[in-house]
Amino acid sequence: MDVFLGEEMTNLVKYEAARHALQEAHSVDEVKDIRDKAQAMLAYGKQAKDTELIWIATDIKIRAERKAGQLLLEMRINGERATPLGNVNPKTKVSNDTTPTLSSLGISRDQSSRWQKLAAVPEKKFEQAVAAAKEIQAEVTTASMLRIDKPHVSNNSGENEWYTPPEYIDAARSAMGDIDCDPASSAIANKTVKAEIYFTEKENGLANKWNGRVWMNPPYAQPLCQQFCSALVEKYQAKEIEQACVLVNNATETVWQQEMLSACAAVCFVKGRVRFIDIAGNPGAPLQGQVLLYFGNSVTTFKKHFESFGLIFVPI
């Protein structure tokens, strides 16, 4: 049954039908067919800018890839082949093995490997990652899902505290004239930031009023990162704060970063990766690049102090 066709079907009906089809599917072929249709639905949703449809498609696609990985793993465990190799007759050069191959299933070796790794992600972590991504409207991909068990910049060595290298703080202070407020900080971090007012995790910067010139390196865990970034945009547009420099991971595909890019006056796409510092003073190893967004009227000054860190762009 084609669970994706029919314009009279609502998005919710499509979702429920696709989830039911996945539950009933018992072969890699069936699951891959659902996955491919979800991929087509995703492309249509993006073209139509239908947020709900995009989420249905990404949810079904990642679940289908996970189930395909489970089935492929079972085939391997059960001794079935599912590989491009097999028993080949030396005279005819034709395989005598009738069990499916990756080629006959239309699956590449890379897809097979990635989907089997996806199947190995614990159920609880898988569902938490899907829910967290949906909350901030970030697209769920196999690549992002496979990163959830890997160390993040915020906890590479088991430490929750990572601090911005002083050269970025100094540049922000010079660009804005000073730093009055850091809404997501700690006593140790503020030794470098030197903000007049700062809020720790216990004080909850989201529940307090900010002021003046703000430096912010928000918590990297979701939904806190999205909440702090959305709060900054809201406070800047309400003129509660005058200027701000915000250092975050480069996540231009997310709704919250699109919101910031739309509201900021300039952005520095940092070349390389920021080497955050742990509590012992050792540089960390971030897993992705960063951007630094500027909010305010001193774009020329911002560019002067940050152009050495990377390319500066001014949103239209």
Side-chain angles (χ1 to χ4, degrees):
M1 179 182 72
D2 191 338
V3 299
F4 293 102
L5 298 181
E7 291 185 358
E8 72 281 0
M9 297 178 71
T10 65
N11 287 342
L12 180 59
V13 171
K14 291 179 183 180
Y15 178 72
E16 294 297 335
R19 287 293 299 271
H20 178 73
L22 265 180
Q23 291 174 356
E24 295 298 314
H26 297 293
S27 71
V28 176
D29 270 336
E30 291 177 288
V31 175
K32 184 175 179 296
D33 183 57
I34 294 171
R35 182 261 182 195
D36 291 345
K37 286 171 180 171
Q39 180 70 44
M41 179 189 287
L42 177 60
Y44 176 80
K46 288 182 175 180
Q47 183 178 13
K49 297 182 180 180
D50 187 331
T51 304
E52 184 180 24
L53 190 60
I54 289 172
W55 267 104
I56 288 173
T58 55
D59 185 283
I60 295 302
K61 179 173 175 285
I62 197 74
R63 292 181 188 280
E65 291 178 354
R66 178 174 167 83
K67 182 158 186 177
Q70 291 169 340
L71 292 172
L72 287 167
L73 186 60
E74 289 171 5
M75 292 172 72
R76 188 176 67 181
I77 292 173
N78 293 337
E80 298 179 50
R81 188 154 52 86
T83 72
L85 305 176
N87 300 321
V88 178
N89 187 309
K91 293 183 179 180
T92 63
K93 306 297 183 183
V94 176
S95 173
N96 296 321
D97 194 343
T98 60
T99 55
T101 65
L102 292 179
S103 179
S104 68
L105 293 171
I107 298 173
S108 69
R109 281 178 177 270
D110 179 64
Q111 285 178 318
S112 175
S113 174
R114 288 160 64 84
W115 295 354
Q116 289 183 56
K117 289 177 182 177
L118 183 60
V121 175
E123 183 73 20
K124 184 177 180 180
K125 287 189 176 183
F126 176 85
E127 294 297 342
Q128 287 176 338
V130 171
K134 185 173 183 178
E135 186 172 352
I136 62 170
Q137 298 182 28
E139 184 178 335
V140 185
T141 65
T142 302
S144 64
M145 189 64 70
L146 292 180
R147 287 197 296 265
I148 65 175
D149 276 335
K150 293 183 179 180
H152 191 272
V153 66
S154 62
N155 59 7
N156 276 347
S157 63
E159 298 290 345
N160 291 321
E161 292 290 336
W162 286 84
Y163 309 111
T164 307
E167 58 266 30
Y168 295 93
I169 304 292
D170 293 342
R173 183 179 293 104
S174 297
M176 295 189 293
D178 207 343
I179 297 175
D180 300 308
C181 178
D182 184 344
S185 189
S186 68
I188 295 176
N190 201 54
K191 289 181 180 180
T192 301
V193 177
K194 300 176 183 177
E196 182 179 345
I197 297 174
Y198 69 93
F199 302 111
T200 66
E201 181 181 2
K202 289 183 179 180
E203 293 163 335
N204 186 9
L206 292 170
N208 286 278
K209 184 176 180 179
W210 305 358
N211 69 291
R213 295 156 292 190
V214 172
W215 163 263
M216 188 174 78
N217 176 18
Y220 280 66
Q222 294 296 357
L224 283 175
C225 182
Q226 177 264 328
Q227 290 170 348
F228 270 94
C229 291
S230 294
L232 185 136
V233 171
E234 182 179 340
K235 291 174 183 293
Y236 176 68
Q237 293 178 334
K239 298 184 178 180
E240 181 178 319
I241 61 177
E242 300 169 11
Q243 299 182 75
C245 285
V246 184
L247 178 62
V248 289
N249 277 344
N250 189 342
T252 54
E253 78 282 6
T254 62
V255 170
W256 61 267
Q257 192 155 114
Q258 288 288 318
E259 179 186 16
M260 296 192 82
L261 289 168
S262 298
C264 74
V267 56
C268 173
F269 288 92
V270 181
K271 57 187 175 185
R273 297 175 183 178
V274 176
R275 302 280 288 175
F276 292 93
I277 301 169
D278 69 13
I279 197 167
N282 302 309
L287 303 178
Q288 66 187 95
Q290 288 73 40
V291 294
L292 205 146
L293 304 103
Y294 171 70
F295 298 77
N297 297 321
S298 301
V299 173
T300 301
T301 306
F302 172 80
K303 183 176 184 296
K304 173 185 175 182
H305 292 285
F306 278 92
E307 60 186 358
S308 62
F309 297 118
L311 293 175
I312 307 292
F313 288 87
V314 177
I316 298 176

